[in-house]
Amino acid sequence: FDSPQFYYFKSPGVSDSYASVNVYFRGPDTVSDLESTYGADVWSSLINDLNSTFIRNVFNYPSVDFLSENSIGGGYLTKPDSSYITFYAGLKNPDKQLARRTVNFTEFLLYTEIPLMAGQKDYFPSRQIDSVCKSVENQRIISTDTTEDFFNEFRFWWANTSPGYYFDYQKNLESVTQSDIQAFVKKY
């Protein structure tokens, strides 16, 4: 696409009392840009921290009317191809200018918040990056508590990357710097 595309549909799984908005971008995948996947994984955890600059800035943006800080976030899932980055938000009052507020949210991401992520030196403090890496390490330990858990975890990574990616993941994640995350944001 040369410009943002907007699609609207009513989902039977979403209450009529709020709207769920998702914004998607192409992300790095393990076939074409393996190195960026580590920064993407750290980024994904950083922006979902309720104390993050991202949540604070987005929630305080006045032209959207978000449900709460808990209804704002984003993510990335490592895949061999067609990976995508998503930003999401829950909006109050879906019957009041929803299309306009969705565009406001998207434009705020594109023209304000993503450029801040890409360029503001302290947007992702190193202490938060370190905390994310430690949290991921703890989750990986817990997720491999039993042989069955280990094989389930390993199977996912085998299907999406390689055994080497799985076994070197923590070391590579811990080497991610703020500059790596900002390079990922600029690129994608």
Side-chain angles (χ1 to χ4, degrees):
F1 299 111
D2 293 333
S3 63
Q5 304 294 306
F6 295 92
Y7 300 95
Y8 170 81
F9 64 92
K10 177 137 177 68
S11 174
V14 176
S15 167
D16 288 340
S17 64
Y18 70 93
S20 177
V21 175
N22 295 282
V23 178
Y24 295 95
F25 297 94
R26 175 77 168 88
D29 56 57
T30 61
V31 171
S32 64
D33 190 7
L34 186 70
E35 288 306 310
S36 291
T37 64
Y38 303 109
D41 283 345
V42 174
W43 168 87
S44 188
S45 293
L46 288 168
I47 67 165
N48 286 299
D49 179 340
L50 287 176
N51 296 312
S52 70
T53 302
F54 174 75
I55 300 271
R56 188 175 49 253
N57 289 353
V58 172
F59 185 72
N60 290 323
Y61 183 66
S63 301
V64 180
D65 198 17
F66 298 102
L67 285 171
S68 71
E69 291 94 338
N70 290 330
S71 71
I72 299 166
Y76 162 80
L77 178 64
T78 304
K79 294 172 59 175
D81 56 23
S82 304
S83 289
Y84 60 87
I85 298 158
T86 184
F87 292 94
Y88 60 84
L91 278 57
K92 297 178 193 173
N93 305 311
D95 53 336
K96 295 184 181 171
Q97 298 182 334
L98 180 59
R100 177 73 259 161
R101 293 186 299 139
T102 299
V103 170
N104 289 347
F105 174 58
T106 304
E107 288 178 343
F108 179 74
L109 291 172
L110 283 172
Y111 304 119
T112 302
E113 202 58 30
I114 293 172
L116 276 177
M117 280 184 210
Q120 185 176 317
K121 185 168 174 50
D122 59 348
Y123 193 95
F124 301 111
S126 58
R127 66 178 161 64
Q128 282 184 317
I129 294 170
D130 294 342
S131 177
V132 163
C133 291
K134 188 63 176 167
S135 177
V136 169
E137 180 180 27
N138 291 340
Q139 290 169 2
R140 285 173 56 97
I141 290 168
I142 291 167
S143 73
T144 58
D145 195 34
T146 68
T147 305
E148 181 180 357
D149 291 341
F150 169 77
F151 281 119
N152 285 336
E153 179 82 6
F154 188 71
R155 186 176 345 170
F156 169 82
W157 291 108
W158 181 285
N160 287 293
T161 60
S162 69
Y165 187 92
Y166 174 80
F167 289 113
D168 293 336
Y169 183 77
Q170 192 63 39
K171 174 185 66 158
N172 289 327
L173 202 68
E174 289 172 358
S175 71
V176 170
T177 65
Q178 180 173 302
S179 296
D180 295 328
I181 297 166
Q182 288 180 313
F184 151 73
V185 171
K186 285 175 187 172
K187 187 172 184 177
Y188 291 97

